[in-house]
Amino acid sequence: MLTYRFKLYKSKNDKYLEAYNNIACEIWNHCIALERRYYRLFGKHQNKYALMKHLTKLKRLPKYAHWKKLNSQAIQNVVERIDRSYKAFFDHVKQKKGGRKSPPHFCKKKNYKSFTLKQTGYVIDGNSAYIMGRRYKLFKSRNIEGAIKTVTVKKMPTGDWYLCVTTDHEAKRNYARTGNSVGMDFGFKDFLVLSDSVKIQSPEYLKQSLSELKRLSRNLSLKTEGSRNYEKVKRQLAKLHEHIASQRRDFFFKLANDLCRKYDIIGIEDLSLKGMQALWGRKESDLAYGEFVQILEYVAASADKKVVKIDRWAPSTKTCSECGCRVELSLKDRTWICPHCGAVHDRDVNAAINIRNLALAA
Ligand SMILES: [Zn+2]
């Protein structure tokens, strides 16, 4: 599966996308209310088929007649999203896996972000997309390969609309076997530290955007909420967030491709947030950590290479990679000498070597 993102040119037809999105939101909230009532009465949640049947009946009533404007598969998709959310929540309750910690909740229209079409309701033809029969122009950056599975129409915080087109195309990368393996530590100072002592920093342009982000955020906090200036800065901020996200995605893809070209086995720490927080600041770190790992796993899978996740509690930092003895280190100790075998270690490289060894053992 491959997902393409295309930005749509501003159009007078945008108001229809807004209307469809609002209907999807209304249906979402209606279903949540139903599910909650059902849960109170019967102590379980209703399955998606029963919900779908109920909605089909409602559409016949004058009060809900406007729901018919939204493609019925898009309505079905709202029900499926709710179903998935409840399943993830109940899985979490049963401790089967992490999942989501709270059941799905009501959503305001302005926060509802997207609706999804399956086989019908869209046509993509050259640089044009027809959504429910109305034409929108695409910034078409790439040709679409494979058969289209779903089209998600998505509203960004900047007010721009995007199409996310998912196809069944399997991108294959022909990277040769190298016989090499590597361990990586999300460094404190550097973005990544590799077990062969290579340190990878986040690119300068990304750092510049991040300081601009700080400046705008500070600027926004000085404006009166709701004022025209406030709205203006808020839009600028949303635009910059979008810009940073796409710069970061490009950087991550390039890095992931480089790593998969060089190594057959890549060991990483599972869920280490410490380095990311130092590097990106809190808000960015939440997105960045998971995103890089996801991209790396995606690229590795398409290149037939292996990513091995090491238990985050494994003492990779505080073990000497030469002799295996445990040491006590404080965060200040950037380099240290093993009291047992005398090896001199760079803190992050030593950790990366341990991660590599654990990955190879796994
Ligand atoms: Zn040692």
Side-chain angles (χ1 to χ4, degrees), residues 109-133:
K109 275 183 184 164
K110 65 170 185 176
N111 294 332
Y112 200 81
K113 289 190 197 85
S114 69
F115 61 93
T116 298
L117 301 162
K118 286 194 250 179
Q119 292 104 333
T120 59
Y122 63 87
V123 174
I124 294 176
D125 180 16
N127 289 335
S128 298
Y130 297 85
I131 306 295
M132 261 78 93

Side-chain angles (χ1 to χ4, degrees), residues 209-223:
S209 289
L210 287 170
S211 51
E212 173 72 4
L213 184 69
K214 277 194 196 126
R215 192 187 67 80
L216 275 179
S217 310
R218 209 163 35 232
N219 199 346
L220 185 69
S221 69
L222 296 173
K223 303 274 183 273

Side-chain angles (χ1 to χ4, degrees), residues 18 21 109-110 112-113 153-157 159-161:
E18 188 78 47
N21 198 49
K109 275 183 184 164
K110 65 170 185 176
Y112 200 81
K113 289 190 197 85
V153 183
K154 197 168 175 187
K155 186 167 72 171
M156 305 304 281
D160 293 323
W161 290 89

Side-chain angles (χ1 to χ4, degrees), residues 13 16 30 45 102 107 110 128 131 140 142 148 172 175 207-208 227 237 250 255 267 275 305 321 354:
N13 286 342
Y16 295 104
H30 193 93
H45 97 113
S102 63
C107 186
K110 65 170 185 176
S128 298
I131 306 295
K140 201 161 176 207
R142 307 168 63 181
I148 296 176
K172 274 282 156 216
Y175 296 164
K207 286 184 200 157
Q208 278 160 12
S227 71
L237 200 57
D250 286 350
L255 188 56
K305 306 272 178 142
S321 57
N354 283 325

Side-chain angles (χ1 to χ4, degrees), residues 223-255:
K223 303 274 183 273
T224 318
E225 210 177 316
S227 71
R228 211 195 290 166
N229 270 325
Y230 179 88
E231 291 303 324
K232 195 176 132 200
V233 178
K234 208 173 124 185
R235 237 186 345 266
Q236 285 173 340
L237 200 57
K239 265 216 140 57
L240 185 62
H241 269 297
E242 230 179 84
H243 178 63
I244 292 174
S246 79
Q247 276 185 321
R248 197 175 48 208
R249 207 168 26 242
D250 286 350
F251 166 58
F252 285 168
F253 262 102
K254 200 168 159 293
L255 188 56

Side-chain angles (χ1 to χ4, degrees), residues 320-325 336 338-343 345:
C320 169
S321 57
E322 289 283 327
C323 71
C325 73
W336 53 280
C338 175
H340 190 246
C341 71
H345 291 301

Side-chain angles (χ1 to χ4, degrees), residues 16-216:
Y16 295 104
L17 300 181
E18 188 78 47
Y20 297 138
N21 198 49
N22 285 345
I23 292 172
C25 176
E26 237 180 274
I27 293 172
W28 169 278
N29 286 332
H30 193 93
C31 291
I32 298 285
L34 278 176
E35 287 283 21
R36 291 193 177 177
R37 200 177 319 141
Y38 194 85
Y39 191 82
R40 270 201 305 278
L41 291 173
F42 304 107
K44 58 182 181 184
H45 97 113
Q46 216 175 359
N47 77 37
K48 58 182 173 185
Y49 305 105
L51 260 183
M52 203 54 221
K53 220 164 134 188
H54 179 74
L55 292 179
T56 311
K57 242 184 269 167
L58 282 185
K59 277 200 288 186
R60 289 191 209 119
L61 303 175
K63 193 182 166 193
Y64 301 107
H66 63 291
W67 286 3
K68 285 185 207 151
K69 286 182 201 156
L70 187 64
N71 182 290
S72 65
Q73 286 179 333
I75 296 179
Q76 202 180 330
N77 180 265
V78 174
V79 172
E80 282 163 3
R81 287 186 195 184
I82 288 176
D83 197 59
R84 270 200 301 274
S85 292
Y86 270 107
K87 284 211 171 97
F89 169 61
F90 287 124
D91 277 354
H92 173 78
V93 171
K94 283 185 215 143
Q95 292 292 321
K96 274 198 285 192
K97 54 182 173 189
R100 63 180 284 147
K101 292 186 178 63
S102 63
H105 47 75
F106 292 111
C107 186
K108 286 184 182 156
K109 275 183 184 164
K110 65 170 185 176
N111 294 332
Y112 200 81
K113 289 190 197 85
S114 69
F115 61 93
T116 298
L117 301 162
K118 286 194 250 179
Q119 292 104 333
T120 59
Y122 63 87
V123 174
I124 294 176
D125 180 16
N127 289 335
S128 298
Y130 297 85
I131 306 295
M132 261 78 93
R134 286 191 188 84
R135 180 168 175 261
Y136 302 86
K137 255 178 88 187
L138 300 174
F139 284 91
K140 201 161 176 207
S141 43
R142 307 168 63 181
N143 284 327
I144 297 171
E145 289 181 77
I148 296 176
K149 290 289 170 198
T150 61
V151 170
T152 296
V153 183
K154 197 168 175 187
K155 186 167 72 171
M156 305 304 281
T158 48
D160 293 323
W161 290 89
Y162 275 78
L163 282 195
C164 297
V165 179
T166 302
T167 74
D168 61 359
H169 186 68
E170 298 286 344
K172 274 282 156 216
R173 289 169 170 79
N174 281 322
Y175 296 164
R177 310 265 110 197
T178 60
N180 294 331
S181 56
V182 73
M184 309 194 303
D185 189 44
F186 291 105
F188 215 69
K189 232 170 68 242
D190 313 280
F191 176 64
L192 282 181
V193 176
L194 308 188
S195 52
D196 44 15
S197 302
V198 173
K199 298 189 175 182
I200 297 165
Q201 302 214 321
S202 62
E204 222 32 61
Y205 56 81
L206 200 47
K207 286 184 200 157
Q208 278 160 12
S209 289
L210 287 170
S211 51
E212 173 72 4
L213 184 69
K214 277 194 196 126
R215 192 187 67 80
L216 275 179

